[in-house]
Amino acid sequence: MKIYTKFGDTGETALYGGTRIPKDALQIEAIGTVDELNAYIGYAETFIEDTDISDLLECIQNQLFSLGADLATPVSHTKSSEMRISANFTIEMEKAIDTFSDELPPLTNFILPGGGAAGAVLHVARAVCRRSERCVVRLTREVDVNPEIVRFLNRLSDLLFVLARVVNHRSQMPEPIWTS
C-alpha cells in the first residue's frame, strides 16, 4: 500500500464515509490538533521510565486516536454510534488524577511549565490539549459533536498537568515558580 493517494492534492480531504471537505475546515483543524497532541504525548513518553505513567500515556494515545475518528465521523453516517467515544475513559482519567495527585506536595504557588525534559514536554502537550479543546468547542457551533469529546479533552489537560508535576517530583526536578 502506498502512503500517498493524491486525493488531497486539490486541498480537500475525506471524512469517514467519504464526504470531502476543505483541508482548512475547522473540523480538520480540530482533528489535526488532536493528532499534534497525540504526537507530543508520544514524544513525552520517550523521556519517561516509570511504567505506570508510560502505560497510561500509551492508553491515552489510543483513546486520542479514537477521539479523532469520532471527530471525523459525521453524525449522519450509518456507523456513527460505533465511532463515538464514551465517558468511561474520562472517568478513568479522573481516578488517575486523584491517585497521582496523592503523590504530590500541595500547590502553594503558580508553577511555570518546565522542570525536566519529560515534565516540560508534558506541559507542552497540556497546552496543545487546551488548544484542541478550544478547536472542538468552536467546531460545536458548526456541526454536531459528541459532547464527551470536550469533557475528555478538559480532563486530559488536567491529567497532563498532574503527570508533568509527578515526573518532575519523582525525578527530584524542582518546578519553576512564577514570580510576579
Side-chain angles (χ1 to χ4, degrees), residues 86-98 148 152 155:
S86 72
N88 295 342
F89 196 72
T90 302
I91 293 166
E92 292 302 314
M93 285 191 292
E94 290 171 353
K95 291 175 186 174
I97 290 167
D98 294 340
E148 190 55 38
F152 178 100
R155 214 65 80 249

Side-chain angles (χ1 to χ4, degrees), residues 31-171:
I31 293 166
T33 307
V34 167
D35 184 41
E36 181 183 356
L37 167 60
N38 206 338
Y40 272 113
I41 290 172
Y43 180 44
E45 196 176 346
T46 67
F47 295 105
I48 295 172
E49 295 179 10
D50 296 325
T51 56
D52 59 341
I53 295 174
S54 182
D55 290 348
L56 177 58
L57 291 176
E58 185 176 329
C59 188
I60 289 167
Q61 286 189 286
N62 279 289
Q63 292 296 318
L64 284 170
F65 209 85
S66 296
L67 189 147
D70 190 335
L71 284 170
T73 305
V75 174
S76 60
H77 192 277
T78 56
K79 293 190 176 188
S80 172
S81 62
E82 297 172 28
M83 302 301 286
R84 303 295 166 224
I85 64 166
S86 72
N88 295 342
F89 196 72
T90 302
I91 293 166
E92 292 302 314
M93 285 191 292
E94 290 171 353
K95 291 175 186 174
I97 290 167
D98 294 340
T99 299
F100 283 114
S101 292
D102 288 343
E103 274 186 57
L104 297 169
L107 279 174
T108 56
N109 297 294
F110 288 108
I111 61 170
L112 300 174
V121 178
L122 284 168
H123 277 296
V124 172
R126 175 192 49 78
V128 174
C129 186
R130 288 287 190 205
R131 182 160 38 93
S132 296
E133 182 183 8
R134 292 188 305 270
C135 282
V136 171
V137 168
R138 278 193 310 273
L139 181 61
T140 63
R141 294 187 201 110
E142 291 184 9
V143 297
D144 287 333
V145 173
N146 177 357
E148 190 55 38
I149 292 174
V150 175
R151 285 189 287 274
F152 178 100
L153 292 171
N154 189 310
R155 214 65 80 249
L156 178 56
S157 65
D158 294 336
L159 178 56
L160 292 170
F161 176 78
V162 168
L163 290 177
R165 292 194 67 219
V166 167
V167 297
N168 284 333
H169 179 72
R170 286 182 182 179
S171 64

